[in-house]
Amino acid sequence: MGLLLSIKFHNPEFLGSLPGWTFGRLRPVHVNGVIFGSFTTTFLGLLYYYVPRLCGVRMYKEEWGWWLLWLWNGFIFIGSISFMMGYNSGLEAAEYEWPLNILRFVVLGLVGVQVVGTIFQRKERRFYVAMWYTVAALIWTLMNLILGGAVLKYAEQVNGVNSAALHGLYIHYVVGLWLTPAGLAIIYYFLPTSTKNPLYSHRLSLLGFWTLAFFYPFVGIHHYMYSPIPHWNQVIAVVTSMALIIPVWAVIVNWFGTVSGRWGPVLGGLDSDSYAAKFLLLGAVYYLLGCFQGSTEALFRLQQLTHFNDFVIAHSHLTVFGAMVNWVIGGLYYVWPRVTERKLWSSRLASWHLWLTIAGFTVMALGLTAQGFIQGSMLEYGANFVDTIKEMKPWWVTRTLAGATMDVGLLLLLIECYQTARQGELFQEEGSSTAGSEDEAIRSVPKRGWLENPPTVALVAGFGFFMLAVLVQGIIPFLSPGTRVTTVEDVVTKKQIHVADYTPLELRGRHVYIREGCWYCHSQYVRPVTGESQRWGPVSQTGEYAYDHPHLFSTRRIGPDLTRVGRKYGDDWHIAHHWKPREIVPDTIMPSFPWLFEPVKGQALPQLNEDGKALVAYIQRLGTSIGDWREGFASTRVTTGLALNPSPETRDELLALGKAVYDRRCIGCHGAKGDGNGPSAVWLDPRPRDFTRGIFKFRSTAGKDSLPTDADLFLTVTHGLWGTAMPSWQEISEHERLAVIQYVKTFSGRWQKEEIGQPIAITPEPPVTAASIENGKTSFHGKAICVMCHGAEGRGDGLLAAGLQDVWGHPVRPANFTLPAGAHGGVKLGHDGEHLLKTIMTGVGGTAMPPFQGQLTAAEVWDVVHYVQSLRVDAHVSELLAAGLSPTEENESRERIWASLSQAAGQGKIEKQVVQAATGSAMVLVEAGKR
């Protein structure tokens, strides 16, 4: 399954477009399959072997084993099918729905009963280190399954950042309090027995166990550094993560000390015990590397670079496969000949298995680690996110080849086990056939002390430290009012407003988002590091997640962060993106989702079904609760490009770069010929611009449909056009933006035949006054007749609005000036004063909006600008009041909104009456001015 998923990274449509075979539905099959299938199943089998030997009695209720075997495998099989069918709780490593959660809990609980019962009946009074880890692992995991399967899923109060904090604990407990202690139990039993050497140090065993038991329960939150989770909890996670170096070094020294004097027989041996020891030691090496990587990746600086990328995947593979899976394989090599009473069938096959594992996994681990640093550095230095994905593709191919190599090794293991059972020579334990002789190497343990008594291990390490960590890292933060707020700071006014709950449609879309596994690829929190606030938008706030149950912070970014994606694109872009993603973003690795559309009839354009509509509604909601932040995110005051005048020597090079940029980022909408007929164009409204006519909407040059300057085009490319499929391209370099502009100009002959006019003169903005706004309203309704298209209240619903078309015959709607940035039907480049003035003076190219230069004086144009801005200010204030803004803060908020739109207002050149007027009443403004 891991190999299939790996292929999808560089061949996204691999296995077709069936719902059950997408990355989002197969990933939980892989992750849970490795944790609870590959590792846990083998561990439980080995547990039935070593627990009776260490206790000196047969397993308690031994007959339960067969029933538990079938129940456990039924859980794995049915659970995998359920994931492929879309049943997913939205919590990583806790995706199983309740019937399967109960089945898993029952099976592990009954195994725990068998282990405890065997301990109570034991004849061997010494309690060996492998039993410490076994008992603790079962206790920790049963409590953790209650946390992940009940508390996180069904406690509605545990939402938002508290859901993330507790889930951080849960997911790390799966690794650190199940896989790790279970794996340590395996190596502590099978390494001494396979090398036939006594354990090196009992004290190191005690140090390793108790430091692991104390430190590990606190580390989980390091998955969500720089998130809205309280900072002190993050610091505790960092400190305890670094402290884990202590138990790691303790056990590593203990293991290698155990092999001392036996390296020759172990490395040169060809029997099953030698290969058992080789895999155990190989796992120990990977364990050391993986744990060192895991501790250091918790450091704040390293998190900045490596979180969300393949560095984290390298760490998880090093610990889970490199250590844990190799340990149970080592245990299997030791046990299989003994339970089948047959010697290893082929030492050569075992040798191939070993070296294929070493070669394949080492390449994978090193590659993933390097990828993390490469992608992290690219993003830190401002690279476009999709560019970093493109850079990763060759590395992902290498990972697939490495994974295939590992899978061949596992296939050889299966052949080895099958052939050993059928054709291996009879096996007999050297020296004696008794279990006592077999376990002699682990019986030279000093007399036990209170630290290793079963009650101490169970109650203090198993229960006590677990509950202490949950209290400190989960319950105390939950009880803090600051983690349960339902308010956020409005980005523009800096005032507190309430976050609205999801609508039924948005909740359905959230369910679809979880079902399809979108959260495995897209994170939902913006960190204040590595330029994320410039790339995605404002840093995440606690209150934004007040109604998120479960949280969807995620731990991976295979696709861009979606915290602020709402209103970045129009609905039409999202529809096209879900139908055929690579037609609109050629480098994306997102699969298509045809089952989110109604069945296609004939040549008709596919339409979203109810699930698809809900998903788009949910996506468009994301990031909009913190106010109209997008208004000032990408500036409209851009001057780059004015001085660009490439020489003949550099023109060809610039055009070649421009074509490359165009083919990767523009061709999906604008088409290979630049005629606006790209493969995704049929979905889009408004249609992509036809560059062959040389007509562009926004310009600073005078005249109807005049040619724009390079600076005008640079502004549009940088800023994007709100409410359309044209996003901001400020993430790509200025040189690339300038180059693509030169290439776009080659589609039309106008650039060779006509001179580009001089930009119009921008007069200084006069103060914002009540009289100016009223004069602007008069011109809007009278001399400029804007009302005929934009409507009496500027909502784009004038008498002529319904019948307007552009020069290509496509319907075009006048802008609704009251809508927030990015809303469909609103302004395209913002309510910024200078931009509005240029648009009024030069018109909107290719539409019915004429230039008013010469028809209105500069003062009259500024008056109209102020009136249009007042429409948005009033609407914005109304939105804030509806979101719970205190009426006492209305005037101050209005002043700050004005300052964000108007340069004059930002300089304090605004009448007090303007910001003190009643919302939505221009007449009140005038009357106040007269008084």
Side-chain angles (χ1 to χ4, degrees), residues 411-472:
L411 178 61
L412 296 182
L413 172 64
L414 292 177
I415 296 172
E416 182 79 79
C417 291
Y418 178 78
Q419 290 293 87
T420 296
R422 285 181 59 86
Q423 300 183 23
E425 298 177 9
L426 288 177
F427 175 88
Q428 185 175 3
E429 195 75 47
E430 294 181 12
S432 173
S433 60
T434 65
S437 175
E438 173 191 339
D439 300 336
E440 192 62 38
I442 64 174
R443 294 181 180 275
S444 56
V445 177
K447 184 177 180 180
R448 62 189 177 94
W450 69 273
L451 282 176
E452 56 199 271
N453 283 336
T456 308
V457 170
L459 296 177
V460 179
F463 183 78
F465 291 162
F466 182 96
M467 293 307 299
L468 177 63
V470 171
L471 173 67
V472 173

Side-chain angles (χ1 to χ4, degrees), residues 31 191 221 417 553 575 746 813 879 896:
V31 173
L191 188 62
I221 290 176
C417 291
F553 279 17
I575 296 170
T746 64
R813 296 284 297 185
E879 293 162 8
R896 290 182 178 178

